[in-house]
Amino acid sequence: MWFICFLISFLTVCIDFFLAKSISDLYLNIGFLIIVFLMLRNFQNNAFSIALMYGILLDIISPITPFGTFIIAHILIWLILKYTINIFTNTSNGVFVLLIFFGSSLYISILGIIQYISINMFTKFSVDFASLFSFKLILSSAILSTFLVFLFISISYFVSYIFSKWFFIK
Amino acid sequence: MRNLFQHKIRISIIILVIIIVLYNTTRLSEVFSIIKRPIMWSGSFFYSAGKPINNFFFAFAKGNDLLKKQEQQEKQIASLIFELEQVKSNNEFYGKNFIELSNLFVSTIIESKVVSLQFNSGKHILLINKGSKDGIVEGAPVITEQAIFIGKIIQVDKNSSVILLITDSSSAVASTLYSDMSVQSIVRGKKGISLEMELIPQDSELETGDIVVTSLLEKDTPQGLLVGQIASVKYIQGELFKTATLSPFISASSISSVGVIIPNNLK
């Protein structure tokens, strides 16, 4: 199971950190979405493993940011999700979309704050708060994440509908 | 079961804290740099794969604007060809590759591939796949094959390095005019997209379209590397200096390979 978690984390890092950056300036949070999805399905153990590995991989490849920043950030995010996710387990699709939207915004903001603190405290570089936070960028990234989840749900419904129609009813 | 899970998490967190402490205090970072190599290799593949996707969406979203721009640019090209012929006869860097440029600069140029473009931690940076193992050092200037100055190395690992782009707000480079090298000024990055030329003496004559190059005053950087082209000049009566907005010669997203200049004194 650890190997599968590692493979998922590795792929999501490649998508979020490399692929997404060559397409647009927006933050893509597939890693976070997978953690949320696993938490909602009550796979807390696996969600923790992925959060941890995703954090470690980001720490290894992220320039400027001191090692440990993303690990701590992802453990913190996992803990927040652990104590709040139960509220959203049996909710409607609308609330779920809102959860993804606000969750993504919060995730980017938490990462930004932790990065700001660790860079200014533990490296020779300094970053100012204004350049680190772009409200427009956070909002656009959250919309992108929500859209991706919506797309994923729609495709899943469509595929399951086609599958059931062609393979079971006939 | 729940207790076992809680127990596992506590142990994992303790192990992680120990790894973080050891990473920052011992040579454990060297072990991690071995893991970094395959990640960078895969990342480079993903980064290259994203370029055609980006081009597709860009063409899809801005196809009409692109057509209009193309018409304007075709007109511009005609006049620029004439200017280019003049520059070619004067510019010693024109049409040279990295090996020829390194002979010209009397330094070593390390060719490297761009792995990722990042707006990371408030900084506009490029990640490249060569590091201290290949001879890259902090502070080294980075250029494209067209001798366009794109930034400086700010962080070096064993197998990778980080370039702070000239367009980043915290970047500054001593510059001069290509046409009049007596004009000395500073070019600063502006929000990651454009450049601003500051501290230009009021008596200096500069016009829109003038080419700005690196100055001899810039540490460890050859003189005459292309920085940008003047887009507008701001002059306020009573102030000591003029400022000018420059448009960079190349967009960071279109850079796929770079050359890191290692001056002989930095080796």
Side-chain angles (χ1 to χ4, degrees), chain A residues 17-19 21-23 45 52 63-64 67 78 115 119 124 127 131-132, chain B residues 5 9 16 23 43 46-47 50 54 117-122 138 155 162:
Chain A
F17 193 85
F18 295 104
L19 182 76
K21 295 290 174 185
S22 68
I23 298 172
N45 204 346
L52 217 71
I64 303 174
F67 187 85
W78 179 83
Q115 269 180 287
I119 291 170
K124 60 182 176 184
V127 282
S131 68
L132 199 61
Chain B
F5 174 56
I9 285 173
L16 278 171
Y23 183 95
F46 273 85
Y47 188 71
N54 184 26
L117 164 70
Q118 298 274 322
F119 175 61
N120 192 321
S121 326
E138 245 180 62
Q155 197 180 47
V162 181

PDB file of all heavy atoms in Angstrom, chain A residues 17-19 21-23 45 52 63-64 67 78 115 119 124 127 131-132, chain B residues 5 9 16 23 43 46-47 50 54 117-122 138 155 162:
ATOM      1  N   PHE A  17       3.560  20.242  -9.764  1.00  0.00           N
ATOM      2  CA  PHE A  17       4.780  21.063  -9.706  1.00  0.00           C
ATOM      3  C   PHE A  17       5.379  21.323 -11.085  1.00  0.00           C
ATOM      4  O   PHE A  17       5.903  22.402 -11.332  1.00  0.00           O
ATOM      5  CB  PHE A  17       5.821  20.357  -8.816  1.00  0.00           C
ATOM      6  CG  PHE A  17       6.976  21.236  -8.421  1.00  0.00           C
ATOM      7  CD1 PHE A  17       6.894  22.078  -7.326  1.00  0.00           C
ATOM      8  CD2 PHE A  17       8.157  21.216  -9.144  1.00  0.00           C
ATOM      9  CE1 PHE A  17       7.954  22.884  -6.964  1.00  0.00           C
ATOM     10  CE2 PHE A  17       9.235  22.014  -8.774  1.00  0.00           C
ATOM     11  CZ  PHE A  17       9.129  22.850  -7.684  1.00  0.00           C
ATOM     12  N   PHE A  18       5.316  20.343 -11.988  1.00  0.00           N
ATOM     13  CA  PHE A  18       5.972  20.505 -13.285  1.00  0.00           C
ATOM     14  C   PHE A  18       4.980  20.774 -14.428  1.00  0.00           C
ATOM     15  O   PHE A  18       5.097  21.798 -15.098  1.00  0.00           O
ATOM     16  CB  PHE A  18       6.814  19.257 -13.615  1.00  0.00           C
ATOM     17  CG  PHE A  18       7.966  19.056 -12.669  1.00  0.00           C
ATOM     18  CD1 PHE A  18       7.919  18.088 -11.682  1.00  0.00           C
ATOM     19  CD2 PHE A  18       9.108  19.835 -12.750  1.00  0.00           C
ATOM     20  CE1 PHE A  18       8.974  17.896 -10.806  1.00  0.00           C
ATOM     21  CE2 PHE A  18      10.167  19.655 -11.886  1.00  0.00           C
ATOM     22  CZ  PHE A  18      10.108  18.682 -10.911  1.00  0.00           C
ATOM     23  N   LEU A  19       4.038  19.852 -14.607  1.00  0.00           N
ATOM     24  CA  LEU A  19       3.119  19.979 -15.750  1.00  0.00           C
ATOM     25  C   LEU A  19       2.282  21.268 -15.657  1.00  0.00           C
ATOM     26  O   LEU A  19       2.227  22.043 -16.606  1.00  0.00           O
ATOM     27  CB  LEU A  19       2.205  18.745 -15.824  1.00  0.00           C
ATOM     28  CG  LEU A  19       1.240  18.719 -16.998  1.00  0.00           C
ATOM     29  CD1 LEU A  19       1.959  18.360 -18.284  1.00  0.00           C
ATOM     30  CD2 LEU A  19       0.122  17.719 -16.777  1.00  0.00           C
ATOM     31  N   LYS A  21       2.791  23.990 -14.057  1.00  0.00           N
ATOM     32  CA  LYS A  21       3.558  25.237 -14.137  1.00  0.00           C
ATOM     33  C   LYS A  21       3.939  25.587 -15.562  1.00  0.00           C
ATOM     34  O   LYS A  21       4.232  26.746 -15.844  1.00  0.00           O
ATOM     35  CB  LYS A  21       4.819  25.142 -13.265  1.00  0.00           C
ATOM     36  CG  LYS A  21       4.536  25.007 -11.790  1.00  0.00           C
ATOM     37  CD  LYS A  21       3.983  26.280 -11.204  1.00  0.00           C
ATOM     38  CE  LYS A  21       3.578  26.072  -9.760  1.00  0.00           C
ATOM     39  NZ  LYS A  21       2.928  27.229  -9.182  1.00  0.00           N
ATOM     40  N   SER A  22       3.998  24.573 -16.439  1.00  0.00           N
ATOM     41  CA  SER A  22       4.333  24.892 -17.825  1.00  0.00           C
ATOM     42  C   SER A  22       3.089  25.316 -18.596  1.00  0.00           C
ATOM     43  O   SER A  22       3.185  25.824 -19.693  1.00  0.00           O
ATOM     44  CB  SER A  22       5.005  23.705 -18.509  1.00  0.00           C
ATOM     45  OG  SER A  22       4.090  22.661 -18.668  1.00  0.00           O
ATOM     46  N   ILE A  23       1.917  25.099 -17.993  1.00  0.00           N
ATOM     47  CA  ILE A  23       0.681  25.476 -18.685  1.00  0.00           C
ATOM     48  C   ILE A  23       0.192  26.858 -18.219  1.00  0.00           C
ATOM     49  O   ILE A  23      -0.168  27.699 -19.017  1.00  0.00           O
ATOM     50  CB  ILE A  23      -0.422  24.408 -18.468  1.00  0.00           C
ATOM     51  CG1 ILE A  23       0.043  23.078 -19.076  1.00  0.00           C
ATOM     52  CG2 ILE A  23      -1.742  24.840 -19.094  1.00  0.00           C
ATOM     53  CD1 ILE A  23      -0.839  21.902 -18.779  1.00  0.00           C
ATOM     54  N   ASN A  45      -5.825   6.607   6.977  1.00  0.00           N
ATOM     55  CA  ASN A  45      -4.456   6.092   6.990  1.00  0.00           C
ATOM     56  C   ASN A  45      -3.749   6.403   5.679  1.00  0.00           C
ATOM     57  O   ASN A  45      -2.625   6.920   5.659  1.00  0.00           O
ATOM     58  CB  ASN A  45      -4.533   4.569   7.203  1.00  0.00           C
ATOM     59  CG  ASN A  45      -3.273   4.033   7.806  1.00  0.00           C
ATOM     60  OD1 ASN A  45      -2.252   4.715   7.835  1.00  0.00           O
ATOM     61  ND2 ASN A  45      -3.320   2.805   8.283  1.00  0.00           N
ATOM     62  N   LEU A  52       1.940  12.908   3.642  1.00  0.00           N
ATOM     63  CA  LEU A  52       3.334  12.855   4.095  1.00  0.00           C
ATOM     64  C   LEU A  52       4.302  12.766   2.919  1.00  0.00           C
ATOM     65  O   LEU A  52       5.264  13.544   2.824  1.00  0.00           O
ATOM     66  CB  LEU A  52       3.488  11.595   4.949  1.00  0.00           C
ATOM     67  CG  LEU A  52       4.388  11.683   6.152  1.00  0.00           C
ATOM     68  CD1 LEU A  52       3.733  12.544   7.198  1.00  0.00           C
ATOM     69  CD2 LEU A  52       4.641  10.291   6.700  1.00  0.00           C
ATOM     70  N   PRO A  63      12.675  24.708  -4.638  1.00  0.00           N
ATOM     71  CA  PRO A  63      13.809  25.569  -4.372  1.00  0.00           C
ATOM     72  C   PRO A  63      13.463  26.646  -3.342  1.00  0.00           C
ATOM     73  O   PRO A  63      12.287  26.920  -3.122  1.00  0.00           O
ATOM     74  CB  PRO A  63      14.083  26.209  -5.739  1.00  0.00           C
ATOM     75  CG  PRO A  63      12.821  26.102  -6.478  1.00  0.00           C
ATOM     76  CD  PRO A  63      12.009  25.017  -5.902  1.00  0.00           C
ATOM     77  N   ILE A  64      14.464  27.228  -2.730  1.00  0.00           N
ATOM     78  CA  ILE A  64      14.340  28.321  -1.742  1.00  0.00           C
ATOM     79  C   ILE A  64      13.729  27.857  -0.417  1.00  0.00           C
ATOM     80  O   ILE A  64      14.297  28.082   0.637  1.00  0.00           O
ATOM     81  CB  ILE A  64      13.543  29.540  -2.289  1.00  0.00           C
ATOM     82  CG1 ILE A  64      14.219  30.067  -3.571  1.00  0.00           C
ATOM     83  CG2 ILE A  64      13.474  30.659  -1.265  1.00  0.00           C
ATOM     84  CD1 ILE A  64      13.448  31.151  -4.274  1.00  0.00           C
ATOM     85  N   PHE A  67      13.883  22.667   3.881  1.00  0.00           N
ATOM     86  CA  PHE A  67      13.365  21.303   3.999  1.00  0.00           C
ATOM     87  C   PHE A  67      12.518  21.168   5.270  1.00  0.00           C
ATOM     88  O   PHE A  67      12.949  21.583   6.351  1.00  0.00           O
ATOM     89  CB  PHE A  67      14.530  20.307   4.024  1.00  0.00           C
ATOM     90  CG  PHE A  67      14.094  18.873   3.986  1.00  0.00           C
ATOM     91  CD1 PHE A  67      13.832  18.251   2.783  1.00  0.00           C
ATOM     92  CD2 PHE A  67      13.918  18.147   5.154  1.00  0.00           C
ATOM     93  CE1 PHE A  67      13.414  16.928   2.735  1.00  0.00           C
ATOM     94  CE2 PHE A  67      13.496  16.829   5.127  1.00  0.00           C
ATOM     95  CZ  PHE A  67      13.248  16.216   3.906  1.00  0.00           C
ATOM     96  N   TRP A  78      -3.657  17.848   7.030  1.00  0.00           N
ATOM     97  CA  TRP A  78      -4.295  16.556   7.305  1.00  0.00           C
ATOM     98  C   TRP A  78      -5.029  16.605   8.650  1.00  0.00           C
ATOM     99  O   TRP A  78      -6.149  16.109   8.779  1.00  0.00           O
ATOM    100  CB  TRP A  78      -3.240  15.444   7.301  1.00  0.00           C
ATOM    101  CG  TRP A  78      -3.812  14.096   7.600  1.00  0.00           C
ATOM    102  CD1 TRP A  78      -4.417  13.256   6.721  1.00  0.00           C
ATOM    103  CD2 TRP A  78      -3.859  13.453   8.878  1.00  0.00           C
ATOM    104  NE1 TRP A  78      -4.841  12.118   7.362  1.00  0.00           N
ATOM    105  CE2 TRP A  78      -4.515  12.208   8.692  1.00  0.00           C
ATOM    106  CE3 TRP A  78      -3.417  13.787  10.154  1.00  0.00           C
ATOM    107  CZ2 TRP A  78      -4.720  11.314   9.735  1.00  0.00           C
ATOM    108  CZ3 TRP A  78      -3.633  12.908  11.186  1.00  0.00           C
ATOM    109  CH2 TRP A  78      -4.279  11.680  10.971  1.00  0.00           C
ATOM    110  N   GLN A 115       5.161  28.929   4.145  1.00  0.00           N
ATOM    111  CA  GLN A 115       6.341  29.211   3.325  1.00  0.00           C
ATOM    112  C   GLN A 115       6.937  30.569   3.696  1.00  0.00           C
ATOM    113  O   GLN A 115       8.159  30.706   3.828  1.00  0.00           O
ATOM    114  CB  GLN A 115       5.953  29.244   1.845  1.00  0.00           C
ATOM    115  CG  GLN A 115       6.074  27.903   1.155  1.00  0.00           C
ATOM    116  CD  GLN A 115       5.684  28.023  -0.293  1.00  0.00           C
ATOM    117  OE1 GLN A 115       4.524  28.166  -0.614  1.00  0.00           O
ATOM    118  NE2 GLN A 115       6.651  27.994  -1.160  1.00  0.00           N
ATOM    119  N   ILE A 119      10.691  30.691   5.087  1.00  0.00           N
ATOM    120  CA  ILE A 119      11.730  31.326   4.253  1.00  0.00           C
ATOM    121  C   ILE A 119      12.365  32.497   4.997  1.00  0.00           C
ATOM    122  O   ILE A 119      13.581  32.634   5.038  1.00  0.00           O
ATOM    123  CB  ILE A 119      11.147  31.792   2.893  1.00  0.00           C
ATOM    124  CG1 ILE A 119      10.795  30.573   2.035  1.00  0.00           C
ATOM    125  CG2 ILE A 119      12.148  32.672   2.140  1.00  0.00           C
ATOM    126  CD1 ILE A 119      10.007  30.896   0.797  1.00  0.00           C
ATOM    127  N   LYS A 124      18.443  32.634   3.762  1.00  0.00           N
ATOM    128  CA  LYS A 124      19.027  33.959   3.558  1.00  0.00           C
ATOM    129  C   LYS A 124      18.121  34.842   2.700  1.00  0.00           C
ATOM    130  O   LYS A 124      18.360  36.028   2.539  1.00  0.00           O
ATOM    131  CB  LYS A 124      20.395  33.809   2.893  1.00  0.00           C
ATOM    132  CG  LYS A 124      20.333  33.127   1.549  1.00  0.00           C
ATOM    133  CD  LYS A 124      21.677  32.935   0.922  1.00  0.00           C
ATOM    134  CE  LYS A 124      21.514  32.149  -0.386  1.00  0.00           C
ATOM    135  NZ  LYS A 124      22.726  31.829  -1.038  1.00  0.00           N
ATOM    136  N   VAL A 127      11.080  37.253   1.635  1.00  0.00           N
ATOM    137  CA  VAL A 127       9.932  37.493   0.751  1.00  0.00           C
ATOM    138  C   VAL A 127       8.944  38.392   1.471  1.00  0.00           C
ATOM    139  O   VAL A 127       8.799  38.315   2.684  1.00  0.00           O
ATOM    140  CB  VAL A 127       9.222  36.172   0.354  1.00  0.00           C
ATOM    141  CG1 VAL A 127       9.977  35.435  -0.705  1.00  0.00           C
ATOM    142  CG2 VAL A 127       8.967  35.279   1.534  1.00  0.00           C
ATOM    143  N   SER A 131       3.948  39.999  -2.158  1.00  0.00           N
ATOM    144  CA  SER A 131       4.327  39.284  -3.379  1.00  0.00           C
ATOM    145  C   SER A 131       3.986  37.793  -3.289  1.00  0.00           C
ATOM    146  O   SER A 131       3.871  37.106  -4.280  1.00  0.00           O
ATOM    147  CB  SER A 131       5.817  39.461  -3.662  1.00  0.00           C
ATOM    148  OG  SER A 131       6.570  38.794  -2.693  1.00  0.00           O
ATOM    149  N   LEU A 132       3.841  37.320  -2.060  1.00  0.00           N
ATOM    150  CA  LEU A 132       3.538  35.908  -1.847  1.00  0.00           C
ATOM    151  C   LEU A 132       2.048  35.620  -2.053  1.00  0.00           C
ATOM    152  O   LEU A 132       1.670  34.564  -2.526  1.00  0.00           O
ATOM    153  CB  LEU A 132       3.954  35.513  -0.431  1.00  0.00           C
ATOM    154  CG  LEU A 132       4.142  34.046  -0.143  1.00  0.00           C
ATOM    155  CD1 LEU A 132       5.226  33.449  -0.994  1.00  0.00           C
ATOM    156  CD2 LEU A 132       4.502  33.843   1.317  1.00  0.00           C
TER     157      LEU A 132
ATOM    158  N   PHE B   5      -3.578   2.914  14.731  1.00  0.00           N
ATOM    159  CA  PHE B   5      -3.447   3.977  13.734  1.00  0.00           C
ATOM    160  C   PHE B   5      -2.860   5.251  14.365  1.00  0.00           C
ATOM    161  O   PHE B   5      -1.932   5.860  13.829  1.00  0.00           O
ATOM    162  CB  PHE B   5      -4.825   4.234  13.115  1.00  0.00           C
ATOM    163  CG  PHE B   5      -4.876   5.393  12.168  1.00  0.00           C
ATOM    164  CD1 PHE B   5      -4.020   5.452  11.070  1.00  0.00           C
ATOM    165  CD2 PHE B   5      -5.785   6.425  12.361  1.00  0.00           C
ATOM    166  CE1 PHE B   5      -4.067   6.516  10.194  1.00  0.00           C
ATOM    167  CE2 PHE B   5      -5.832   7.492  11.483  1.00  0.00           C
ATOM    168  CZ  PHE B   5      -4.972   7.532  10.396  1.00  0.00           C
ATOM    169  N   ILE B   9       0.771   7.073  13.553  1.00  0.00           N
ATOM    170  CA  ILE B   9       0.897   8.487  13.186  1.00  0.00           C
ATOM    171  C   ILE B   9       1.893   9.197  14.087  1.00  0.00           C
ATOM    172  O   ILE B   9       2.753   9.941  13.614  1.00  0.00           O
ATOM    173  CB  ILE B   9      -0.484   9.179  13.213  1.00  0.00           C
ATOM    174  CG1 ILE B   9      -1.245   8.715  11.968  1.00  0.00           C
ATOM    175  CG2 ILE B   9      -0.380  10.690  13.221  1.00  0.00           C
ATOM    176  CD1 ILE B   9      -2.649   9.154  11.895  1.00  0.00           C
ATOM    177  N   LEU B  16       9.704  11.911  11.265  1.00  0.00           N
ATOM    178  CA  LEU B  16       9.825  13.053  10.356  1.00  0.00           C
ATOM    179  C   LEU B  16      10.563  14.222  10.994  1.00  0.00           C
ATOM    180  O   LEU B  16      11.411  14.857  10.354  1.00  0.00           O
ATOM    181  CB  LEU B  16       8.444  13.512   9.907  1.00  0.00           C
ATOM    182  CG  LEU B  16       7.869  12.695   8.764  1.00  0.00           C
ATOM    183  CD1 LEU B  16       6.436  13.040   8.520  1.00  0.00           C
ATOM    184  CD2 LEU B  16       8.680  12.905   7.502  1.00  0.00           C
ATOM    185  N   TYR B  23      18.405  16.559   8.413  1.00  0.00           N
ATOM    186  CA  TYR B  23      18.589  17.115   7.066  1.00  0.00           C
ATOM    187  C   TYR B  23      19.276  18.481   7.150  1.00  0.00           C
ATOM    188  O   TYR B  23      20.156  18.803   6.367  1.00  0.00           O
ATOM    189  CB  TYR B  23      17.228  17.258   6.379  1.00  0.00           C
ATOM    190  CG  TYR B  23      17.302  17.749   4.943  1.00  0.00           C
ATOM    191  CD1 TYR B  23      17.311  16.844   3.891  1.00  0.00           C
ATOM    192  CD2 TYR B  23      17.363  19.112   4.645  1.00  0.00           C
ATOM    193  CE1 TYR B  23      17.381  17.278   2.572  1.00  0.00           C
ATOM    194  CE2 TYR B  23      17.434  19.558   3.336  1.00  0.00           C
ATOM    195  CZ  TYR B  23      17.438  18.633   2.307  1.00  0.00           C
ATOM    196  OH  TYR B  23      17.505  19.083   0.998  1.00  0.00           O
ATOM    197  N   GLY B  43      10.224  15.156 -13.914  1.00  0.00           N
ATOM    198  CA  GLY B  43       9.637  16.498 -13.935  1.00  0.00           C
ATOM    199  C   GLY B  43       9.915  17.197 -15.246  1.00  0.00           C
ATOM    200  O   GLY B  43       9.035  17.863 -15.808  1.00  0.00           O
ATOM    201  N   PHE B  46       7.514  15.985 -17.763  1.00  0.00           N
ATOM    202  CA  PHE B  46       6.176  16.554 -17.569  1.00  0.00           C
ATOM    203  C   PHE B  46       6.142  18.029 -17.995  1.00  0.00           C
ATOM    204  O   PHE B  46       5.177  18.492 -18.571  1.00  0.00           O
ATOM    205  CB  PHE B  46       5.743  16.430 -16.102  1.00  0.00           C
ATOM    206  CG  PHE B  46       5.076  15.120 -15.792  1.00  0.00           C
ATOM    207  CD1 PHE B  46       5.821  13.998 -15.479  1.00  0.00           C
ATOM    208  CD2 PHE B  46       3.695  14.998 -15.814  1.00  0.00           C
ATOM    209  CE1 PHE B  46       5.218  12.788 -15.193  1.00  0.00           C
ATOM    210  CE2 PHE B  46       3.078  13.789 -15.542  1.00  0.00           C
ATOM    211  CZ  PHE B  46       3.841  12.679 -15.229  1.00  0.00           C
ATOM    212  N   TYR B  47       7.235  18.751 -17.681  1.00  0.00           N
ATOM    213  CA  TYR B  47       7.304  20.182 -18.022  1.00  0.00           C
ATOM    214  C   TYR B  47       7.278  20.359 -19.543  1.00  0.00           C
ATOM    215  O   TYR B  47       6.574  21.219 -20.065  1.00  0.00           O
ATOM    216  CB  TYR B  47       8.579  20.786 -17.430  1.00  0.00           C
ATOM    217  CG  TYR B  47       8.656  22.287 -17.561  1.00  0.00           C
ATOM    218  CD1 TYR B  47       7.828  23.109 -16.807  1.00  0.00           C
ATOM    219  CD2 TYR B  47       9.551  22.889 -18.438  1.00  0.00           C
ATOM    220  CE1 TYR B  47       7.890  24.488 -16.921  1.00  0.00           C
ATOM    221  CE2 TYR B  47       9.620  24.263 -18.568  1.00  0.00           C
ATOM    222  CZ  TYR B  47       8.791  25.056 -17.796  1.00  0.00           C
ATOM    223  OH  TYR B  47       8.853  26.427 -17.914  1.00  0.00           O
ATOM    224  N   GLY B  50       3.861  19.747 -21.023  1.00  0.00           N
ATOM    225  CA  GLY B  50       2.887  20.812 -20.782  1.00  0.00           C
ATOM    226  C   GLY B  50       2.927  21.907 -21.840  1.00  0.00           C
ATOM    227  O   GLY B  50       1.946  22.610 -22.048  1.00  0.00           O
ATOM    228  N   ASN B  54      -0.179  23.996 -23.377  1.00  0.00           N
ATOM    229  CA  ASN B  54      -0.247  25.441 -23.184  1.00  0.00           C
ATOM    230  C   ASN B  54      -0.472  26.144 -24.522  1.00  0.00           C
ATOM    231  O   ASN B  54      -1.327  27.017 -24.636  1.00  0.00           O
ATOM    232  CB  ASN B  54       1.062  25.912 -22.537  1.00  0.00           C
ATOM    233  CG  ASN B  54       1.045  27.383 -22.222  1.00  0.00           C
ATOM    234  OD1 ASN B  54      -0.009  27.963 -22.027  1.00  0.00           O
ATOM    235  ND2 ASN B  54       2.203  27.984 -22.178  1.00  0.00           N
ATOM    236  N   LEU B 117       9.382  26.276 -14.507  1.00  0.00           N
ATOM    237  CA  LEU B 117       9.260  27.721 -14.273  1.00  0.00           C
ATOM    238  C   LEU B 117       8.330  27.867 -13.087  1.00  0.00           C
ATOM    239  O   LEU B 117       7.248  27.300 -13.081  1.00  0.00           O
ATOM    240  CB  LEU B 117       8.677  28.408 -15.513  1.00  0.00           C
ATOM    241  CG  LEU B 117       8.121  29.814 -15.356  1.00  0.00           C
ATOM    242  CD1 LEU B 117       9.239  30.813 -15.100  1.00  0.00           C
ATOM    243  CD2 LEU B 117       7.359  30.235 -16.601  1.00  0.00           C
ATOM    244  N   GLN B 118       8.755  28.591 -12.085  1.00  0.00           N
ATOM    245  CA  GLN B 118       7.955  28.662 -10.864  1.00  0.00           C
ATOM    246  C   GLN B 118       7.743  30.099 -10.402  1.00  0.00           C
ATOM    247  O   GLN B 118       8.644  30.931 -10.508  1.00  0.00           O
ATOM    248  CB  GLN B 118       8.687  27.934  -9.721  1.00  0.00           C
ATOM    249  CG  GLN B 118       8.909  26.460  -9.958  1.00  0.00           C
ATOM    250  CD  GLN B 118       7.719  25.630  -9.536  1.00  0.00           C
ATOM    251  OE1 GLN B 118       7.089  25.927  -8.538  1.00  0.00           O
ATOM    252  NE2 GLN B 118       7.411  24.615 -10.300  1.00  0.00           N
ATOM    253  N   PHE B 119       6.532  30.319  -9.899  1.00  0.00           N
ATOM    254  CA  PHE B 119       6.325  31.524  -9.107  1.00  0.00           C
ATOM    255  C   PHE B 119       6.242  30.984  -7.695  1.00  0.00           C
ATOM    256  O   PHE B 119       5.194  30.684  -7.182  1.00  0.00           O
ATOM    257  CB  PHE B 119       5.042  32.242  -9.525  1.00  0.00           C
ATOM    258  CG  PHE B 119       4.736  33.422  -8.654  1.00  0.00           C
ATOM    259  CD1 PHE B 119       5.620  34.474  -8.569  1.00  0.00           C
ATOM    260  CD2 PHE B 119       3.584  33.479  -7.901  1.00  0.00           C
ATOM    261  CE1 PHE B 119       5.354  35.558  -7.746  1.00  0.00           C
ATOM    262  CE2 PHE B 119       3.308  34.557  -7.082  1.00  0.00           C
ATOM    263  CZ  PHE B 119       4.199  35.592  -7.007  1.00  0.00           C
ATOM    264  N   ASN B 120       7.427  30.804  -7.103  1.00  0.00           N
ATOM    265  CA  ASN B 120       7.498  30.081  -5.841  1.00  0.00           C
ATOM    266  C   ASN B 120       7.870  31.036  -4.719  1.00  0.00           C
ATOM    267  O   ASN B 120       8.845  31.781  -4.835  1.00  0.00           O
ATOM    268  CB  ASN B 120       8.583  28.997  -5.977  1.00  0.00           C
ATOM    269  CG  ASN B 120       8.542  28.007  -4.856  1.00  0.00           C
ATOM    270  OD1 ASN B 120       8.312  28.365  -3.717  1.00  0.00           O
ATOM    271  ND2 ASN B 120       8.772  26.750  -5.169  1.00  0.00           N
ATOM    272  N   SER B 121       7.097  30.998  -3.650  1.00  0.00           N
ATOM    273  CA  SER B 121       7.400  31.793  -2.467  1.00  0.00           C
ATOM    274  C   SER B 121       7.565  33.264  -2.830  1.00  0.00           C
ATOM    275  O   SER B 121       8.440  33.945  -2.319  1.00  0.00           O
ATOM    276  CB  SER B 121       8.662  31.306  -1.788  1.00  0.00           C
ATOM    277  OG  SER B 121       8.786  29.929  -1.897  1.00  0.00           O
ATOM    278  N   GLY B 122       6.752  33.740  -3.742  1.00  0.00           N
ATOM    279  CA  GLY B 122       6.802  35.153  -4.118  1.00  0.00           C
ATOM    280  C   GLY B 122       7.942  35.494  -5.051  1.00  0.00           C
ATOM    281  O   GLY B 122       8.196  36.655  -5.321  1.00  0.00           O
ATOM    282  N   GLU B 138      26.945  29.902  -7.188  1.00  0.00           N
ATOM    283  CA  GLU B 138      25.986  30.967  -6.864  1.00  0.00           C
ATOM    284  C   GLU B 138      26.464  32.302  -7.423  1.00  0.00           C
ATOM    285  O   GLU B 138      27.655  32.595  -7.379  1.00  0.00           O
ATOM    286  CB  GLU B 138      25.838  31.060  -5.354  1.00  0.00           C
ATOM    287  CG  GLU B 138      24.441  30.694  -4.889  1.00  0.00           C
ATOM    288  CD  GLU B 138      24.285  30.785  -3.399  1.00  0.00           C
ATOM    289  OE1 GLU B 138      24.450  31.889  -2.849  1.00  0.00           O
ATOM    290  OE2 GLU B 138      23.994  29.755  -2.812  1.00  0.00           O
ATOM    291  N   GLN B 155      20.628  29.746  -6.019  1.00  0.00           N
ATOM    292  CA  GLN B 155      20.743  28.567  -5.153  1.00  0.00           C
ATOM    293  C   GLN B 155      21.284  27.389  -5.975  1.00  0.00           C
ATOM    294  O   GLN B 155      20.851  27.188  -7.109  1.00  0.00           O
ATOM    295  CB  GLN B 155      19.375  28.206  -4.581  1.00  0.00           C
ATOM    296  CG  GLN B 155      19.445  27.280  -3.389  1.00  0.00           C
ATOM    297  CD  GLN B 155      18.043  26.965  -2.859  1.00  0.00           C
ATOM    298  OE1 GLN B 155      17.131  26.642  -3.600  1.00  0.00           O
ATOM    299  NE2 GLN B 155      17.886  27.047  -1.563  1.00  0.00           N
ATOM    300  N   VAL B 162      18.883  27.077  -9.132  1.00  0.00           N
ATOM    301  CA  VAL B 162      17.728  27.971  -9.217  1.00  0.00           C
ATOM    302  C   VAL B 162      18.177  29.315  -9.792  1.00  0.00           C
ATOM    303  O   VAL B 162      19.152  29.901  -9.322  1.00  0.00           O
ATOM    304  CB  VAL B 162      17.110  28.188  -7.819  1.00  0.00           C
ATOM    305  CG1 VAL B 162      15.902  29.097  -7.900  1.00  0.00           C
ATOM    306  CG2 VAL B 162      16.742  26.870  -7.180  1.00  0.00           C
TER     307      VAL B 162
END
